[in-house]
Amino acid sequence: MSALLPILTLATSLLAAGVIFMLPETSKTTRTAVNLVAALGKLGLATVMIIGVAEGKTYEATLTLLPGLQLILRVDALALLFLALSAFLWLLTTIYAISYLGDGPNLSRFFGFFSLCVAATTGVALSGSLITFFVFYELLTLSTWPLVVHKGDGASLAAGRRYLIYTMSGSAVLLAGILLLEGGLGPIEFARHGSLAAGDPGVLTGAFVLMVAGLGVKAALVPLHGWLPSAMVAPAPVSALLHAVAVVKAGAFGIIRVVYDVYGVALVNELGVGLPLAIVASVTIVYGSLRALQQHDIKRRLAYSTVSQVAYIVLGTGLFGPYATIGGVVHLVHQGLMKITLFFCAGALAERIGATRIEHLDGAGRRMPLTMAAFSVAALGMIGVPPLAGFVSKWYLGIGGLQAGQHWVLAVLAVSSLLNAAYFLPLLHRAWFVAPPADARPAVASREGPAWLIGPGLVTAAAVVAAGVFAGMPFSPLGWSTLIVTRNYAP
């Protein structure tokens, strides 16, 4: 059973992808059933393993991909945090996508690659070695490209080309770092406190810089972030997938693995590469917020917000202290919940009342109150308003900065929060306090929208509230992040 569960977890979305690819376009009911059964199955398996790992059980499987090349699937507390997040949000994104895409063209192709993307994310989460991580990281790149270009128009194809150029270049740099490291030290598995005992400082530093730069492309660290705003031409469920469930999170998750489970805090301190990483993250936090402030397209504003918010995870990773690490790790979940809520709502607003730009939001709160309520909760969470999820992340990062002796982190967090307020509050003001224009486009129907389109955003907005209000509970994102740091990274 200890080896079977990781394999079954990976297989749920792989098998779903295979089945869905073979279904004809007209098999909507079967396709929906396969999607939902697989998503529920993965969530159930993740729940079983969460209980097991909390009790001290271990789950690990080794698969031979090629002679001499083995894939290690290992379930630890950090892997489960990412797996549980992706499984939960995959279920909700699937429900949302079924309603959002309706009876559009090429849906078997879309949902096939959608499931393949989630399988790759599962593999990234469960990777127990560098080479396993790289294999699934590449599968993630290849499976998300068809989703970015799904519309097939000129803008989508251009965004797809840009996405491939950035991510494949990043992968090449990541592979160079892995080969540089493993060329001298052999295959490297992830281990508590890091798996590297010693080595040439120049080689270790060079490999670290290469790997973090390669991962920084998907994590959208400045100046490697250019693909992310361009990819906003993709359908809203794909945007949700890119920003909250899979791609940017895979990059940030990989940086956590490299820092803590490959090098370890002691070696990163010895090499002096932690503080530069935190500074790059801080620059990204402020730059992303400034660029968000300049955007009038709603999805592009959210995209630059992602550039800024994902860097919080990297900031906590670079600062090392227990509180900073908890703040960074928990933001992996909190950012996902908040950002997917915003994209669910942005997609619903575009579909129902044609609101794609900031000026289109006038009176949106009266026309779509549930959607704008969910949007408002997520936006306030992003700003850091207590007791929402974003406040918890920023509180721990702030204390972590003080604990690490890096008091400037407080200034970064304060400036970022002010900028968050500057680019989110005007949207809420227009939606709730400005009357809709006389020539506003009428809603496509008298009611706000079908439950499958509006419901997922309401669920994730409730999760944003719950993650903050019940942060002290053992199985809350904060409770689980504390367990990760206490069990795996504490001295």
Side-chain angles (χ1 to χ4, degrees), residues 23-44:
L23 289 174
E25 281 297 307
T26 52
S27 299
K28 181 177 180 179
T29 303
T30 305
R31 187 171 58 235
T32 299
V34 171
N35 268 315
L36 294 181
V37 168
L40 286 168
K42 185 183 290 290
L43 191 59

Side-chain angles (χ1 to χ4, degrees), residues 170-186:
S171 297
V173 174
L174 173 61
L175 181 60
I178 293 173
L179 292 176
L180 181 61
L181 201 59
E182 294 199 344
L185 301 173

Side-chain angles (χ1 to χ4, degrees), residues 121-267:
T121 306
T122 302
V124 166
L126 301 185
S127 293
S129 68
L130 269 178
I131 196 63
T132 306
F133 179 90
F134 182 77
V135 168
F136 286 110
Y137 196 73
E138 284 315 288
L139 180 60
L140 180 62
T141 298
L142 298 177
S143 60
T144 44
W145 178 79
L147 301 176
V148 173
V149 302
H150 177 71
K151 291 180 181 174
D153 55 21
S156 299
L157 295 175
R161 283 194 295 273
R162 192 175 177 88
Y163 175 70
L164 273 188
I165 290 170
Y166 269 84
T167 53
M168 296 303 285
S169 300
S171 297
V173 174
L174 173 61
L175 181 60
I178 293 173
L179 292 176
L180 181 61
L181 201 59
E182 294 199 344
L185 301 173
I188 294 172
E189 296 186 16
F190 300 144
R192 183 172 182 261
H193 297 311
S195 55
L196 301 182
D200 180 87
V203 172
L204 293 176
T205 302
F208 183 91
V209 171
L210 287 172
M211 287 192 288
V212 169
L215 294 163
V217 173
K218 275 199 174 75
L221 291 176
V222 170
L224 309 171
H225 64 287
W227 64 272
L228 191 56
S230 303
M232 287 304 92
V233 297
V238 179
S239 300
L241 196 71
L242 293 175
H243 288 253
V245 184
V247 179
V248 296
K249 290 298 170 56
F253 181 79
I255 291 174
I256 295 174
R257 283 296 195 197
V258 167
V259 170
Y260 288 99
D261 297 319
V262 175
Y263 280 74
V265 173
L267 184 55

Side-chain angles (χ1 to χ4, degrees), residues 61-150:
T62 301
L63 306 172
T64 300
L65 184 64
L66 296 170
L69 177 57
Q70 292 184 325
L71 301 182
I72 299 174
L73 303 178
R74 182 177 294 154
V75 183
D76 61 13
L78 179 61
L80 276 176
L81 184 82
F82 192 23
L83 175 65
L85 173 72
S86 63
F88 176 58
L89 296 186
W90 179 34
L91 173 62
L92 294 173
T93 308
T94 299
I95 293 170
Y96 179 86
I98 290 168
S99 177
Y100 182 92
L101 296 171
D103 296 320
N106 303 315
L107 292 185
S108 288
R109 184 188 71 189
F110 178 89
F111 282 107
F113 280 111
F114 197 80
S115 294
L116 201 56
C117 171
V118 177
T121 306
T122 302
V124 166
L126 301 185
S127 293
S129 68
L130 269 178
I131 196 63
T132 306
F133 179 90
F134 182 77
V135 168
F136 286 110
Y137 196 73
E138 284 315 288
L139 180 60
L140 180 62
T141 298
L142 298 177
S143 60
T144 44
W145 178 79
L147 301 176
V148 173
V149 302
H150 177 71

